[in-house]
């Protein structure tokens, strides 16, 4: 059963990732940006990618768990042509694969699996008798 579930999971998750990215990979444009550490409202340095499009400069958050860009590093930025403010750093970790989606896509099916096992593990005596009666009726019907 596991051999059937793993390819199904990979196909479904791959399709979900490919068609759910914002800005859209198919319609988005790619440019380069430079990482600068700017201070946020709590006076902590946060990695921001600064990029320019048609003489207009914009900033996008480049900080992401397990991704540590260096000051002055050049990165690829993907943006929407009609709204460059909706941009993202184009990388495998943070654009294509996000930790929360990856974790949820694994935990939710596992939780449902254990819930289904817990619900069906100890059926009542009436439920077992009903199931046996249905099975015998189906056997009689199929034999005729």
């Amino acid at each position: 059963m596991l051999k059937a579930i793993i390819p199904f999971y990979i196909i479904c998750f791959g399709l979900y990732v490919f068609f759910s990215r914002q800005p859209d990979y198919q319609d988005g444009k790619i440019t380069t940006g430079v990482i600068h550490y700017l201070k946020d409202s709590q006076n902590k340095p946060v990695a921001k990618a600064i990029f320019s499009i048609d003489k207009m400069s914009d900033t996008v958050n480049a900080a992401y768990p397990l991704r540590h860009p260096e000051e002055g590093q050049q990165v690829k930025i993907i943006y929407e042509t009609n709204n460059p403010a909706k941009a993202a750093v184009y990388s495998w970790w943070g654009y294509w694969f996000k930790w929360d989606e990856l974790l949820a896509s694994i935990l939710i099916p596992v939780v449902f699996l254990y819930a289904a096992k817990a619900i069906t593990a100890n059926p009542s005596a009436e439920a077992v008798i009903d199931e046996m009666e249905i099975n015998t009726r189906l056997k009689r019907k199929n034999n005729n």
Side-chain angles (χ1 to χ4, degrees):
M1 182 165 141
L2 197 59
K3 290 181 182 179
I5 292 174
I6 290 175
F8 182 70
Y9 167 79
I10 291 171
I11 290 168
C12 289
F13 187 70
L15 289 171
Y16 166 76
V17 165
F18 188 73
F19 290 109
S20 68
R21 301 299 97 182
Q22 290 295 330
D24 188 36
Y25 173 74
Q26 298 293 325
D27 298 331
K29 301 288 182 188
I30 295 180
T31 187
T32 58
V34 179
I35 300 292
H36 290 292
Y37 280 87
L38 305 174
K39 300 205 183 222
D40 64 357
S41 62
Q42 298 173 348
N43 212 15
K44 292 182 181 177
V46 177
K48 300 281 185 178
I50 300 172
F51 63 102
S52 297
I53 303 166
D54 297 332
K55 300 178 185 176
M56 191 174 90
S57 182
D58 212 338
T59 308
V60 65
N61 190 9
Y64 196 75
L66 302 177
R67 183 173 67 190
H68 307 289
E70 297 176 7
E71 177 73 30
Q73 177 183 351
Q74 286 197 348
V75 292
K76 290 182 180 180
I77 306 290
I78 187 166
Y79 65 95
E80 293 180 5
T81 54
N82 59 352
N83 191 0
K86 289 186 178 180
V89 175
Y90 183 70
S91 66
W92 283 103
W93 185 249
Y95 178 73
W96 288 111
F97 296 109
K98 297 180 180 182
W99 71 269
D100 52 348
E101 293 175 348
L102 196 59
L103 186 65
S105 75
I106 293 170
L107 287 181
I108 290 172
V110 168
V111 168
F112 283 154
L113 174 68
Y114 282 109
K117 284 184 177 182
I119 291 169
T120 60
N122 296 319
S124 65
E126 295 89 19
V128 173
I129 292 170
D130 287 344
E131 187 174 345
M132 289 172 55
E133 288 175 358
I134 291 171
N135 285 340
T136 55
R137 278 191 231 140
L138 287 174
K139 285 181 184 177
R140 285 185 206 148
K141 185 176 180 181
N142 288 337
N143 288 337
N144 291 335

